[in-house]
């Protein structure tokens, strides 16, 4: 089945530093990828839609200058959390739409648990 | 505001029984409905999706959709302890953002 690889799975960083998270679709091309954030016992919250070759679309309340998204190819999107602070600690999950499959389901990466100290 | 509602549970079901998970949604324009399973500390895993009214079966799982009543359900037959997880209902609306609106999930516990 479709596989989405996300790296790193876990990262601990100091406040003020930047962290880059990679999301790759391994066996299908993804013109659109999505970045979600999930706090403990909460639902997934869409942060932004990453579009290959164009600017990302951010959801209301998400700072585009803090969460930088780059979708450089049909298989890779990156999320950079700039100047991270403890309140940015969360579970970040990417997903990619497999348009080659009927229904174009979303497949998720394994997530990145970010802890900012 | 598009909303997807699920009972947070926990829903406790004995092993071998049928687990029934329900979800309601507010946007009548919704077209696609997805069920994801999420184990603690892990990312969601797609179980199945449904578009048309009625039932759709895949192994031990059956998704049921009733657009008139705006609800979608997931039945798990012959429940196993490994089915214990949080089940997320997700809805995609026609013409809306490409992403999905997720419910908060139902925590299912299968008792051996």
């Amino acid at each position: 089945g479709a596989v989405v690889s996300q790296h790193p799975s876990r990262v601990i960083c100091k406040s003020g530093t930047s962290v880059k998270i990679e999301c790759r679709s391994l066996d299908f091309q993804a013109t659109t990828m999505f970045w979600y954030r999930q706090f403990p016992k909460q639902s997934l919250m869409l942060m932004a839609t990453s579009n290959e070759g164009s600017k990302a679309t951010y959801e209301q309340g998400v700072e585009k200058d803090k969460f930088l998204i780059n979708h450089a190819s049909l298989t890779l999107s990156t999320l950079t959390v700039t100047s991270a602070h403890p309140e940015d600690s969360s579970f970040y999950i990417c997903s990619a739409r497999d348009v080659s499959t009927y229904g174009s389901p979303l497949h998720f990466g394994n997530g990145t648990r970010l802890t900012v100290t | 505001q598009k909303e997807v509602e699920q009972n947070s549970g926990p829903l406790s079901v004995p092993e071998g029984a049928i687990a029934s998970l329900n979800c309601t949604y507010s946007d009548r324009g919704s077209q696609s409905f997805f069920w994801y399973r999420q184990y603690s500390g892990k990312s969601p895993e797609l179980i199945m999706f449904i578009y048309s009214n009625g039932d759709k079966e895949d192994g031990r799982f059956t998704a049921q959709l009733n657009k008139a009543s705006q609800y979608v359900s997931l039945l798990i037959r012959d429940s196993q302890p490994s089915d214990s997880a949080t089940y997320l209902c997700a809805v995609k609306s026609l013409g809306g953002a490409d992403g999905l609106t997720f419910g908060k999930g139902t925590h299912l516990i299968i008792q051996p």
Side-chain angles (χ1 to χ4, degrees), chain B residues 19-62:
Chain B
S20 178
L21 305 163
N22 300 314
C23 169
T24 60
Y25 57 94
S26 63
D27 184 6
R28 282 196 171 275
S30 300
Q31 295 291 314
S32 311
F33 308 87
F34 301 80
W35 282 101
Y36 287 86
R37 176 175 62 197
Q38 186 175 24
Y39 292 112
S40 180
K42 303 295 184 182
S43 66
E45 172 190 11
L46 179 66
I47 296 176
M48 62 191 306
F49 53 90
I50 187 168
Y51 298 89
S52 304
N53 278 326
D55 295 359
K56 179 182 178 182
E57 186 175 319
D58 184 359
R60 295 188 296 114
F61 300 97
T62 299

Side-chain angles (χ1 to χ4, degrees), chain A residues 18 20 33-34 41 45 55 68 71 76 81 83 86 96 99:
Chain A
S18 296
K20 179 186 278 190
M33 292 185 177
F34 304 92
K41 300 191 183 300
M45 295 299 297
K55 291 183 179 180
L68 301 180
H71 196 147
L76 174 63
V81 183
S83 187
V99 297

Side-chain angles (χ1 to χ4, degrees), chain A residues 49-93:
Chain A
T49 301
S50 174
N51 304 297
E52 188 269 337
S54 63
K55 291 183 179 180
T57 304
Y58 291 82
E59 295 300 301
Q60 190 173 7
V62 178
E63 300 176 56
K64 63 179 182 180
D65 294 331
K66 181 171 183 63
F67 298 100
L68 301 180
I69 291 173
N70 183 279
H71 196 147
S73 75
L74 288 172
T75 59
L76 174 63
S77 175
T78 60
L79 168 68
T80 301
V81 183
T82 63
S83 187
H85 291 284
E87 58 266 29
D88 297 323
S89 298
S90 187
F91 191 44
Y92 292 85
I93 312 171

